[in-house]
């Protein structure tokens, strides 16, 4: 008879799983066996773990599960981008996006049901905040995407050649989906460790990116505990504008944010920080703004990723013209800053940057949650 509240083994990184197995009187190698079955093989059936002792398999069936979020919608864009809406319980759903490219496949992963930071141009932020996702719900997005993408690839290859290519489909993971990853630090770091662990997904630190709006103390913690590639949602060239567009700036202004970026680079797997900058017509896209950015990042090795704004209903913003973006980028490039303009992907299924909205019951009153953060700075 199984327990009414089984433990979801996707919640554990390798150290956590070894400790949990020790509590069962099992040796560490058993935990690593099960972890490889879960993450390398995408297995959620203990009976199928053929090199695990039958007695342990029977025990696990009674007390544990391997349970990722449940997909409730699967949308595929004309450009091949694939978006899943995933049920995370209590009328909440989050979104995960796979972006296929010639040289890589990138999975954009969510960390929260909604977001409490309320960035002015972000669809996710406009719907409020419910809760942090568990480690199982975060890594479960990668687990599920690997499984579904692998099944689709194998079916296509069976039809075309009868042969299977077991190469990695997802080569890069970006924590750029719904939510602020560093506001859910512990669960995100557990998931990151699984992404990096050779017993799980074995990704390089250079191929795993955390995007933050600039929670400085958490950036310092990430630097110490699990330094992966860092992207910072900048979106403004001065504090007055950023206070309006990215409210967390009222707590951690640009001077503190730039200093944190420089500290992070001491441990980072890449020798630069990526600054994300959404291009908003008539708001943050002037030549003067570009020159301010050059001065702002002078001491911070970086590259810029300019993001054409992706509209959503009642946003109040418009996308900068292609010519304005080109001129803006030119000022940065002329100053010696590597600058790219993100190609819009998946906007026909609302999978583009800033469009992820999911389905979130705002039970925590975002403005009330943010108030202590703002008051602390006064």
């Amino acid at each position: 008879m199984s327990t009414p509240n089984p433990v979801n083994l996707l919640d554990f990184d390798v150290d956590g799983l070894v400790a949990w197995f020790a509590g069962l009187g099992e040796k560490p190698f058993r935990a690593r066996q099960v972890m490889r079955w879960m993450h390398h093989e995408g297995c959620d059936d203990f009976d199928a773990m053929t090199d695990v002792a039958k007695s342990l398999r029977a025990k696990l069936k009674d007390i544990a599960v391997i349970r990722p979020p449940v997909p409730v919608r699967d949308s595929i864009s004309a450009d091949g981008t694939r978006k899943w809406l995933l049920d995370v319980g209590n009328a909440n759903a989050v979104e995960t996006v796979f972006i296929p490219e010639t040289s890589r496949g990138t999975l954009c992963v969510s960390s929260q049901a909604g977001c409490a930071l309320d960035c002015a141009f972000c669809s996710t932020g406009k719907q409020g905040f419910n809760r942090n996702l568990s480690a199982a719900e975060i890594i479960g997005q990668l687990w599920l995407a690997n499984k579904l993408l692998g099944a689709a690839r194998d079916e296509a290859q069976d039809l075309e050649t009868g042969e299977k290519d077991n190469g990695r489909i997802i080569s890069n993971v970006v924590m750029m989906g719904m939510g602020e990853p560093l506001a859910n630090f512990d669960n995100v770091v557990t998931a990151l460790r699984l992404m990096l662990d050779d017993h799980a997904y074995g990704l390089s630190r250079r191929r795993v990116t955390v995007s933050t709006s600039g929670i400085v103390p958490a950036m310092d913690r990430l630097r110490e505990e699990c330094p992966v590639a860092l992207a910072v949602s900048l979106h403004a060239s001065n504090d007055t504008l950023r206070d309006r567009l990215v409210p967390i700036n009222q707590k951690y202004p640009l001077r503190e944010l730039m200093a944190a970026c420089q500290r992070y680079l001491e441990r980072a797997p890449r020798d630069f920080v990526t600054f994300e900058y959404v291009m908003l017509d008539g708001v943050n896209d002037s030549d003067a703004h570009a020159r301010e950015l050059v001065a702002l990042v002078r001491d911070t090795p970086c590259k810029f990723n300019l993001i054409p704004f992706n509209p959503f209903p009642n946003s109040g913003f418009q996308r900068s013209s292609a010519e304005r973006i080109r001129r803006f980028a030119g000022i940065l490039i002329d100053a010696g800053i590597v600058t790219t303009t993100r190609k819009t992907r998946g906007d026909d299924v609302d999978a583009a940057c800033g469009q992820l909205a999911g389905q979130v019951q705002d039970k925590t009153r975002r403005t009330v949650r943010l108030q202590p953060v703002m008051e602390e700075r006064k």
Side-chain angles (χ1 to χ4, degrees), residues 223-282:
R223 169 186 175 272
E224 296 299 321
E225 296 185 28
C226 191
V228 292
L230 182 69
V232 174
S233 295
L234 193 59
H235 309 307
S237 57
N238 60 70
D239 281 319
T240 300
L241 180 56
R242 197 167 191 266
D243 283 351
R244 177 160 69 92
L245 296 179
V246 186
I248 196 65
N249 194 74
Q250 299 171 40
K251 170 63 177 171
Y252 305 113
L254 287 170
R255 177 178 54 82
E256 296 181 23
L257 178 58
M258 291 301 113
C261 289
Q262 291 165 26
R263 291 193 298 272
Y264 194 88
L265 286 171
E266 296 170 3
R267 298 281 187 88
R270 292 182 171 179
D271 57 1
F272 62 87
V273 172
T274 298
F275 288 121
E276 298 162 321
Y277 197 93
V278 66
M279 298 297 293
L280 304 170
D281 183 40

Side-chain angles (χ1 to χ4, degrees), residues 137-200:
E137 290 166 335
I138 297 169
I139 201 65
Q141 295 170 66
L142 177 55
W143 188 98
L144 186 68
N146 267 323
K147 195 174 189 72
L148 295 177
L149 292 167
R153 180 186 63 179
D154 290 348
E155 181 179 354
Q157 289 171 345
D158 280 346
L159 290 173
E160 291 178 10
T161 66
E163 299 178 355
K164 289 183 172 61
D165 172 13
N166 292 321
R168 178 177 283 158
I169 301 173
I170 298 171
S171 62
N172 296 65
V173 176
V174 293
M175 298 294 305
M176 296 182 185
M178 295 173 62
E180 162 57 61
L182 297 188
N184 184 14
F185 188 90
D186 291 338
N187 291 336
V188 165
V189 167
T190 295
L192 292 176
R193 286 174 174 152
L194 284 167
M195 295 174 196
L196 303 174
D197 198 300
D198 287 340
H199 294 287

Side-chain angles (χ1 to χ4, degrees), residues 244 279-286 289 318-320 324:
R244 177 160 69 92
M279 298 297 293
L280 304 170
D281 183 40
V283 177
N284 67 350
D285 64 347
S286 70
H289 289 128
Q318 297 295 323
R319 177 184 296 180
S320 302
R324 179 91 293 274

